[in-house]
Amino acid sequence: MSSSLLDRYFGSLAERLETVRSTQAEAIAQAAEHSAASIASGKLVFTFGTGHGALPALETFPRTGTVVGFRPIVESTMISFHHVWGDMGARQYRFIHAQEGYGKAIMRSHQVDPADTMILFSHSGINAVIMDIALECRERGMKVVGVTSIPHSSSTPSRHSSGKRLFEVADVVIDTGIPKADAALEIDGLEHPVGASSTSVTIAIAHAIVSLTAEKLVERGVKPYVMVNPNTTGKEAANRQNDENYEELWRRLKAR
């Protein structure tokens, strides 16, 4: 990558992050408020995405600086798209994330509570599985947060029988502002743009929600269980803290 293209990429990414910071602060705060309310009441904040949208969902727990109460839903068929050939490959993923009803099957495998929160990550916000889950959660009385690109989603028809897109269903919408094509760097002599940024932006949003949730829990007088980095000289103390964190998660799950 030439220095010019490198500057363009990081400059573009920095601009997009700044736009999110300056325009989506209220929505992120609302998402954190719902999350804090769920966790403070002993409930869970589920996170989910398909394809690259699964990556910010996975970042919410357990990793350093995250809070017990966030609960990623991980479907192997939804995240193994890096396999171009063979088991659970790109073609299987491309097929299954468009199958209406699969999201409902996922939800039946999790004992959710109306006081739980669901955070959904989807750049397009139009595909069947994401919409299945968004609509199912709303029907069950859960608060739904949608992290999505309104520039993309608003210009693309839904692929769900409801005719709805994520931004039209979620209680709270956090707009990444990422362009429809996601990649936005043009190179002379190359037909298609490079330099995708949706994953970087959504992961930043995910950590912003988790961090603000921790602050709101403290403001409520609830001490959050925070994951600690064990890869330091304080490994033993970190492991003790993280084991306590895992026990707290088990207490929440066993109460279902």
Side-chain angles (χ1 to χ4, degrees), residues 166-246:
L166 180 57
F167 77 91
E168 297 170 306
V169 172
D171 296 287
V172 177
V173 177
I174 300 172
D175 179 16
T176 66
I178 303 296
K180 188 175 182 178
D182 193 350
L185 296 181
E186 302 288 345
I187 297 176
D188 289 342
L190 190 60
E191 180 182 0
H192 299 293
V194 299
S197 57
S198 61
T199 303
S200 299
V201 172
T202 52
I203 287 176
I205 290 170
H207 283 295
I209 293 171
V210 173
S211 300
L212 194 51
T213 297
E215 182 180 60
K216 289 181 178 294
L217 285 169
V218 172
E219 291 171 353
R220 288 168 175 258
V222 178
K223 184 178 179 180
Y225 289 78
V226 178
M227 297 299 295
V228 181
N229 186 357
N231 297 313
T232 67
T233 54
K235 175 183 176 181
E236 295 304 321
N239 283 337
R240 285 194 297 271
Q241 177 62 55
N242 291 339
D243 285 342
E244 184 179 343
N245 295 342
Y246 295 143

Side-chain angles (χ1 to χ4, degrees), residues 29-49:
Q30 289 175 353
E33 187 62 44
H34 289 314
S35 299
S38 293
I39 294 172
S41 63
K43 306 302 181 182
L44 297 169
V45 180
F46 290 94
T47 61
F48 180 77

